[in-house]
Amino acid sequence: MGLLVLGTPLDWPESEKFHDYVRENGIKQFLHMYDSFISKKQDILLWGDEIEYIVVSMNNDQKAARVSLRQEQILKALGDYEERFKHVDFSPIYAALKNTNCSKQTDAILNEAAANPAKFVERLVKENPSFASNNEDIPFRAQFTVPTFHPEYGRYMLESTPGAPYGSLLKDFLYVEHNMLLRRKIIENHLLSHEHPLTITNFFRLGTTHFTDPETKANGHISRSFFLPDDIINTHVRFPTLTANIRQRRQRKVAMNVPIFFDKNTPKPFRDPTVPWDRDLYPEDKNAKEGAALEDHIYMDSMGFGMGCCCLQLTFQAKSCDEARLLYDQLTPITPLMLAISAGTPAFRGYLAEQDCRWNVIAGAVDDRTKSEMETVPKSRYDSVDLYISNDPRNLPEYNDVPVVTNEGCYEQLIKGGIDERLSRHMAHIFARDPLVIFSDNIQQDNSTSNGHFENLNSTNWQSMRFKPPPLNSSIGWRVEFRSMEIQFTEFENAAYSVFVVMLSRAILSFNLDFYMPISLVDKNMVNAQARDAIHRKKFWFRCNPFSDTEAPPERGQFKQLTLDQIFNGEQTEDGFPGLVQIVRSYLYTCNPDAETLCSLDRYLRLVSKRASGECLTEASWIRNFITTHPLYKQDSVVSPEINFDLIKRITSIINGESDESLFGDCRC
Amino acid sequence: MGCSDVKQFLLCTGDVTKNLKSGIWNASRSVSNLELIKALENGSLQELKNTRDMVDSQTKIFVAPNDSLQNLDGKADDYEIIVKLFFLDGKNDSLNGRRETTDQVFFYLSQLFGIHSVSTLVASFPHIVFSKEGLNSSSNSRVYSSIDEVPQKEIQSWIDTWKILEEKIHDGKVKTLGVSEFGVPELERLIPNVEISPESTQVNNGGECKLPSELTKYAEQKHLKIFFHSDPSILINEDEITEVIRHAWPNLPARARADWVVRYTIVSRNTSVINRKGYLVKASLL
């Protein structure tokens, strides 16, 4: 969620004076990074994941589930854990985990590792000398290092990442699930007994009454929301500043309207009785009745509804700048597809929605466009990619077919600085936005040693893919970030989706796959991906032949609409598209991993395959099903506190190992 | 060069990983030779006229037209090169034949791709299958239904062939050796009698993930890795190879038989990107 700098943020009117300054110096910093690192060829695949959690506080007597606002204390405790164990070599723990198939044993190992990894490792190595690694220095890889924990927008949220990247061998992919399990276990160890870390995209009753622990009131002046108290915002000054500045820039509250799911007893038309239409605390309160809140929709009026969502993000390092640009382009058409099969957000603010994903809600939650900019600037600063950036000859100019706003001054500065046209246009588009948070003590920066101004803008353009130049003072190379996926309940699923995308990226590079299609079609796919039950009800644009062989006849139109089942599992016709899962499977088998690795990774492919075919439910469908078949559900689209409690209880048991065939089939074991 | 001189053929499929019609997309745990057959049939193989003294006048080379035979980019160490060598000379298991085959394989790898050493060489011997369920002594004359059926002469040929492969290790041309479809009974005949143990065995157990405990225990004792594969015991039959050669060379005077096949797979160690995968097939006129 951007970089946390210490200091005093300027208020919006003050900061406006510095916008061009930040832009100009941000470009200078980019040019410096580019020149320093353009010849950097890392040659190694390193990658990592980011997982976000919602800490839920359960009250079994009241049958109430709420979000716990103790983020600050929890993070402090986790930070102490990190500091205390930063010199421990964790690899014997992974060796022990590898050796067991029994879930009770796995749980026991994770418990000891979470409690005191130093003592545990000492004991393990004594009992199993073969577990000791022979390295003098601890290698900087996920299986050796303590995981790290970070704050996020919501004061009920946590984020965890592996402490170091995963490596490039297929064997390294086996660490992912265990690493994720360990991270959750460590978090659990630092929570109170009634608190649980859930990897769900959103808290189903966020913004209803009594949804926080401790109790809070929605009357804060920062977000001015009808529903979300300012207390749910992370206390670090960056977050409330971001919230207030977005609201100030656009001169009205943010407004997200998600169509309500009409069930048998849902009032039609739907005028939300929980909206305090006549509140008069703040000037923005009248936005709702003046048209910001739409009929038949679930109205949300604060950044927290978007940035308070959790998701699954992956970052991987490319061999070079060119390869990073190629991967950025080739993965862009994949982002809506992974969004669709990871769908997990069918409910907002206590109501069932007529959509299954969070994407457009976050887009609206940080949309800083003024009323007149709504005509001239096509998208929110959080939304899908607008431009392909690679110089690959297959990147035809006609694929960049959507209007894009760029900052002319920045563009000229980049071209003069020797950057090629495509990358210049991309950066000038990123820099067309205003910097949202400027810290007074961070305005003066040495452009040859700092990239703060660059990051200010690059990290507040939240796109479905992000292109990340190498940071200064580090050996890290050119990277791309895959950002569209929704988080899943279990580590098995999160590992499956992560490893699938990473293997797909390897398959793209191995087989010279070409998924290019016009951005306008990718955008159409993004819309369809969020639809309720997109698996069964929507088709997606896809390139007719992503293979580079010159003998294939040029298809009429070159792009066609397929179901997700066809895209992932193949067209099942002679010379039809084999499907992304089969392509990844062919990649996997060709790499010749040993039997255990192959079987472990294959179960990830089977899950992705079954989610795309509908044989296994997406989490959105599963949640929707749980709600609508709950005995207390009144067929009125309302997710009551009791239903919410039972749903969260069930999710918690699934996380703890309870099986669910509708979600996983036979893949999880 | 008169047509009647030609007795042998070398077919190079080129890289099978880059096109829609490739059999690589049929990859599964079920036994299949589609990847090889499709590569040969779809490849529109053409005769390589300028053989650069690679072969004598009795041998024709056929290559896939769009696949330029390229050397590897960068350092050889950066790649994992796995070669599976299928000895198909069912009727001809003479030691000289095996030695000639092995030498030819390394000669072609170096001439065609600039490959001078491989990470792993997996040997596939004829007539042996791992999964003997459903086989009885009369069911298939081409595979043995138990180790007891294997003549001592044939077991000895494994050991003798292995010595030839061990020489390649000593010559620095191979780092590790593996074997295909050998289970515990076969490994027990091989390992005690050779200098350098195989590092792995690859088996086809019908798509099961669970391996027989006999094998996993043995593998742990002997520090053997276990892999899966889906190659059939007869990788390419007479009809198939004859058809392929005739298609490329309509003047084929008689039927042909495949003597050996090599599958090469080259993967970058640092990025896990597959560089290429393909087959070389050596055939003779019957």
Side-chain angles (χ1 to χ4, degrees):
Chain A
M1 177 61 200
L3 306 166
L4 292 189
V5 173
L6 295 168
T8 323
L10 298 174
D11 64 30
W12 184 249
E14 252 316 286
S15 75
E16 279 184 295
K17 303 177 192 161
F18 294 99
H19 288 175
D20 285 331
Y21 178 88
V22 169
R23 272 194 274 266
E24 192 185 319
N25 285 278
I27 296 291
K28 284 193 180 140
Q29 290 175 355
F30 173 74
L31 288 170
H32 177 74
M33 279 189 284
Y34 187 90
D35 287 334
S36 310
F37 299 123
I38 185 57
S39 52
K40 195 171 208 171
K41 289 185 184 341
Q42 283 306 303
D43 293 338
I44 298 179
L45 166 67
L46 292 175
W47 66 282
D49 70 271
E50 277 171 49
I51 286 183
E52 293 165 339
Y53 312 76
I54 291 177
V55 180
V56 178
S57 163
M58 300 292 270
N59 186 320
N60 288 321
D61 297 327
Q62 292 173 3
K63 285 195 168 265
R66 302 188 174 92
V67 295
S68 163
L69 300 182
R70 292 193 324 111
Q71 180 193 69
E72 218 176 300
Q73 297 108 297
I74 299 169
L75 275 173
K76 168 109 193 13
L78 289 171
D80 290 341
Y81 177 96
E82 271 181 61
E83 183 59 34
R84 195 170 157 213
F85 298 118
K86 69 182 179 193
H87 295 303
V88 174
D89 175 345
F90 277 66
S91 60
I93 297 173
Y94 291 97
L97 284 166
K98 190 165 188 258
N99 270 5
T100 174
N101 279 321
C102 161
S103 61
K104 268 210 180 73
Q105 270 190 312
T106 303
D107 210 53
I109 295 173
L110 290 170
N111 275 324
E112 273 205 73
N116 190 325
K119 276 214 176 77
F120 186 42
V121 163
E122 213 182 287
R123 180 166 79 74
L124 277 175
V125 166
K126 217 184 265 173
E127 291 171 6
N128 311 274
S130 63
F131 284 0
S133 66
N134 302 316
N135 305 296
E136 260 192 48
D137 295 315
I138 302 181
F140 193 60
R141 291 287 184 274
Q143 66 268 30
F144 293 98
T145 54
V146 67
T148 50
F149 303 92
H150 317 262
E152 258 304 333
Y153 181 88
R155 209 182 295 181
Y156 52 83
M157 289 169 76
L158 297 170
E159 181 188 293
S160 78
T161 55
Y166 304 111
S168 60
L169 303 175
L170 290 181
K171 271 193 342 230
D172 291 329
F173 299 169
L174 295 182
Y175 293 120
V176 178
E177 198 176 331
H178 287 151
N179 186 283
M180 291 176 173
L181 281 164
L182 179 61
R183 282 141 64 184
R184 191 193 298 266
K185 208 39 116 172
I186 295 171
I187 292 174
E188 278 172 4
N189 256 30
H190 292 87
L191 298 178
L192 302 173
S193 60
H194 61 273
E195 292 173 330
H196 305 276
L198 257 61
T199 42
I200 49 177
T201 307
N202 70 349
F203 185 72
F204 316 110
R205 283 182 58 81
L206 195 82
T208 58
T209 50
H210 311 296
F211 76 97
T212 61
D213 175 14
E215 281 286 342
T216 53
K217 261 197 160 67
N219 55 11
H221 70 279
I222 292 173
S223 64
R224 307 194 173 179
S225 165
F226 285 158
F227 315 104
L228 292 183
D230 282 353
D231 311 77
I232 61 110
I233 306 175
N234 185 321
T235 49
H236 184 285
V237 68
R238 175 189 168 78
F239 298 100
T241 307
L242 207 47
T243 314
N245 285 357
I246 288 172
R247 181 176 45 70
Q248 284 191 287
R249 186 183 189 282
R250 56 180 274 134
Q251 291 157 4
R252 56 208 196 291
K253 284 196 289 187
V254 295
M256 293 82 80
N257 284 284
V258 166
I260 194 156
F261 171 68
F262 278 109
D263 206 339
K264 216 169 104 200
N265 296 330
T266 317
K268 216 180 168 84
F270 175 73
R271 266 214 120 214
D272 192 346
T274 63
V275 174
W277 298 98
D278 295 316
R279 192 177 87 170
D280 195 15
L281 275 177
Y282 301 105
E284 292 88 349
D285 285 357
K286 56 179 164 30
N287 292 165
K289 60 187 176 195
E290 284 178 354
L294 299 177
E295 199 173 76
D296 294 345
H297 287 74
I298 308 165
Y299 169 63
M300 290 172 276
D301 64 351
S302 168
M303 186 169 164
F305 283 111
M307 286 305 190
C309 288
C310 299
C311 63
L312 173 64
Q313 282 163 180
L314 306 176
T315 302
F316 18 96
Q317 176 174 274
K319 207 167 69 168
S320 62
C321 183
D322 279 343
E323 188 180 271
R325 292 167 71 168
L326 176 66
L327 278 178
Y328 179 97
D329 283 6
Q330 288 303 332
L331 288 172
T332 289
I334 305 291
T335 51
L337 309 175
M338 294 308 295
L339 173 60
I341 64 164
S342 65
T345 332
F348 297 88
R349 203 163 55 71
Y351 289 115
L352 272 177
E354 182 59 39
Q355 72 182 47
D356 277 352
C357 297
R358 93 246 178 241
W359 189 265
N360 60 4
V361 172
I362 314 189
V366 293
D367 188 352
D368 65 346
R369 290 175 293 169
T370 60
K371 276 204 181 104
S372 61
E373 280 173 339
M374 296 299 285
E375 311 290 317
T376 56
V377 179
K379 284 181 182 167
S380 158
R381 59 197 298 155
Y382 183 111
D383 213 325
S384 46
V385 158
D386 284 320
L387 285 170
Y388 292 118
I389 62 176
S390 170
N391 283 325
D392 188 310
R394 298 172 302 174
N395 178 10
L396 303 180
E398 61 250 36
Y399 295 147
N400 280 339
D401 67 339
V402 301
V404 162
V405 175
T406 53
N407 181 296
E408 272 311 301
C410 289
Y411 182 78
E412 291 302 326
Q413 208 186 337
L414 287 155
I415 294 282
K416 281 206 182 80
I419 306 296
D420 62 83
E421 195 269 331
R422 280 178 180 156
L423 192 55
S424 295
R425 200 152 167 242
H426 165 80
M427 279 303 160
H429 175 49
I430 300 284
F431 274 64
R433 306 285 179 183
D434 285 340
L436 287 171
V437 185
I438 301 177
F439 286 89
S440 59
D441 16 23
N442 207 32
I443 294 175
Q444 290 297 331
Q445 294 179 13
D446 178 349
N447 292 338
S448 63
T449 57
S450 170
N451 61 1
H453 292 315
F454 171 77
E455 278 300 329
N456 191 326
L457 279 157
N458 205 38
S459 71
T460 56
N461 271 265
W462 295 276
Q463 295 190 297
S464 43
M465 292 291 303
R466 185 180 277 146
F467 175 71
K468 298 166 79 149
L472 302 167
N473 306 320
S474 142
S475 60
I476 296 174
W478 297 88
R479 293 152 299 154
V480 294
E481 191 180 354
F482 189 94
R483 299 172 46 87
S484 69
M485 291 192 284
E486 312 231 307
I487 195 81
Q488 309 292 290
F489 302 153
T490 64
E491 279 69 27
F492 164 64
E493 298 161 277
N494 288 322
Y497 281 53
S498 303
V499 169
F500 180 81
V501 171
V502 177
M503 288 206 285
L504 180 59
S505 77
R506 303 301 94 194
I508 289 171
L509 295 174
S510 299
F511 307 143
N512 289 348
L513 296 172
D514 176 3
F515 292 124
Y516 274 120
M517 68 174 108
I519 294 275
S520 60
L521 295 186
V522 180
D523 281 352
K524 288 203 170 93
N525 283 352
M526 245 356 228
V527 171
N528 282 349
Q530 300 176 66
R532 176 172 63 84
D533 197 17
I535 308 276
H536 294 108
R537 296 168 66 238
K538 293 292 176 187
K539 286 198 169 181
F540 292 80
W541 288 102
F542 200 71
R543 193 177 181 96
C544 287
N545 182 358
F547 296 93
S548 302
D549 56 333
T550 51
E551 290 152 33
E555 307 255 357
R556 268 188 300 271
Q558 272 203 302
F559 309 101
K560 58 185 170 185
Q561 291 194 294
L562 299 174
T563 62
L564 286 167
D565 191 12
Q566 289 172 311
I567 292 175
F568 281 89
N569 295 316
E571 284 184 275
Q572 315 297 339
T573 58
E574 178 76 28
D575 293 343
F577 180 62
L580 295 176
V581 172
Q582 183 57 43
I583 288 176
V584 172
R585 181 170 280 130
S586 304
Y587 164 80
L588 174 63
Y589 287 9
T590 299
C591 286
N592 195 55
D594 63 79
E596 187 196 340
T597 305
L598 189 138
C599 284
S600 280
L601 297 179
D602 200 66
R603 58 195 240 292
Y604 294 157
L605 299 187
R606 285 190 293 124
L607 176 70
V608 170
S609 168
K610 290 185 185 205
R611 287 279 166 90
S613 72
E615 188 180 330
C616 290
L617 295 175
T618 59
E619 303 217 319
S621 295
W622 184 92
I623 293 168
R624 190 181 289 278
N625 201 47
F626 184 96
I627 293 170
T628 54
T629 57
H630 192 282
L632 296 177
Y633 177 65
K634 299 195 171 81
Q635 294 180 294
D636 57 352
S637 318
V638 172
V639 183
S640 68
E642 299 88 355
I643 298 176
N644 185 53
F645 177 80
D646 285 343
L647 174 54
I648 291 187
K649 230 179 154 62
R650 174 96 176 104
I651 294 173
T652 309
S653 355
I654 290 176
I655 292 172
N656 289 330
E658 200 173 282
S659 72
D660 191 305
E661 217 178 287
S662 65
L663 264 181
F664 311 120
D666 60 353
C667 306
R668 190 182 180 190
C669 28
Chain B
M1 169 170 57
C3 293
S4 54
D5 285 343
V6 175
K7 293 200 165 51
Q8 313 229 303
F9 307 90
L10 176 69
L11 300 119
C12 313
T13 62
D15 187 358
V16 303
T17 65
K18 307 287 194 288
N19 58 71
L20 176 64
K21 297 194 180 174
S22 169
I24 194 175
W25 317 122
N26 298 91
S28 77
R29 299 283 305 278
S30 315
V31 156
S32 163
N33 67 353
L34 267 181
E35 191 178 271
L36 171 61
I37 297 302
K38 278 192 176 181
L40 292 171
E41 288 177 357
N42 296 338
S44 313
L45 301 180
Q46 291 168 4
E47 194 181 335
L48 185 65
K49 294 293 185 188
N50 176 13
T51 57
R52 305 178 247 154
D53 297 327
M54 240 194 292
V55 291
D56 55 31
S57 58
Q58 292 195 329
T59 309
K60 274 189 182 302
I61 303 185
F62 295 90
V63 298
N66 290 324
D67 198 294
S68 50
L69 300 164
Q70 275 172 6
N71 286 1
L72 281 180
D73 216 5
K75 297 187 293 203
D77 269 342
D78 289 340
Y79 295 97
E80 196 189 355
I81 303 174
I82 304 159
V83 166
K84 183 167 179 180
L85 171 50
F86 298 82
F87 292 107
L88 298 177
D89 45 348
K91 298 207 174 73
N92 172 19
D93 49 28
S94 77
L95 208 49
N96 280 336
R98 293 276 167 92
R99 183 178 294 282
E100 196 184 315
T101 295
T102 310
D103 286 343
Q104 272 182 359
V105 165
F106 280 91
F107 177 69
Y108 291 137
L109 285 175
S110 116
Q111 291 291 305
L112 293 169
F113 307 120
I115 291 174
H116 304 292
S117 86
V118 308
S119 321
T120 306
L121 176 70
V122 175
S124 170
F125 293 106
H127 311 141
I128 301 298
V129 290
F130 171 73
S131 189
K132 298 183 171 60
E133 261 175 55
L135 291 179
N136 56 52
S137 42
S138 59
S139 62
N140 186 336
S141 58
R142 295 178 190 246
V143 296
Y144 297 114
S145 61
S146 99
I147 188 72
D148 301 319
E149 282 186 13
V150 184
Q152 183 52 39
K153 204 170 137 216
E154 191 158 345
I155 296 183
Q156 189 57 41
S157 86
W158 301 343
I159 297 168
D160 294 337
T161 307
W162 201 260
K163 286 203 169 50
I164 298 170
L165 301 180
E166 284 170 347
E167 281 170 29
K168 293 296 181 207
I169 292 195
H170 293 310
D171 291 342
K173 290 199 181 327
V174 174
K175 286 217 177 63
T176 67
L177 291 172
V179 69
S180 178
E181 288 292 274
F182 270 32
V184 176
E186 291 82 16
L187 291 163
E188 279 179 336
R189 301 290 190 286
L190 179 74
I191 292 181
N193 296 311
V194 297
E195 182 203 333
I196 303 178
S197 265
E199 225 191 50
S200 62
T201 179
Q202 47 173 255
V203 302
N204 188 301
N205 70 342
E208 287 291 318
C209 267
K210 201 157 161 30
L211 290 161
S213 57
E214 184 196 39
L215 177 62
T216 51
K217 283 203 180 79
Y218 184 83
E220 208 179 306
Q221 272 171 25
K222 301 287 179 186
H223 306 292
L224 278 174
K225 294 191 192 138
I226 305 176
F227 293 84
F228 290 127
H229 77 95
S230 26
D231 298 314
S233 56
I234 297 180
L235 191 60
I236 181 165
N237 65 33
E238 261 181 43
D239 286 340
E240 287 162 336
I241 191 69
T242 304
E243 180 63 38
V244 167
I245 300 176
R246 183 166 288 135
H247 191 72
W249 188 44
N251 291 331
L252 180 68
R255 289 172 64 74
R257 175 200 73 203
D259 298 324
W260 56 259
V261 175
V262 147
R263 175 174 58 229
Y264 55 89
T265 307
I266 303 176
V267 182
S268 156
R269 283 187 207 282
N270 294 325
T271 59
S272 288
V273 171
I274 298 170
N275 182 278
R276 72 189 86 163
K277 178 187 195 185
Y279 295 81
L280 302 175
V281 180
K282 191 78 191 302
S284 306
L285 278 184
L286 280 175

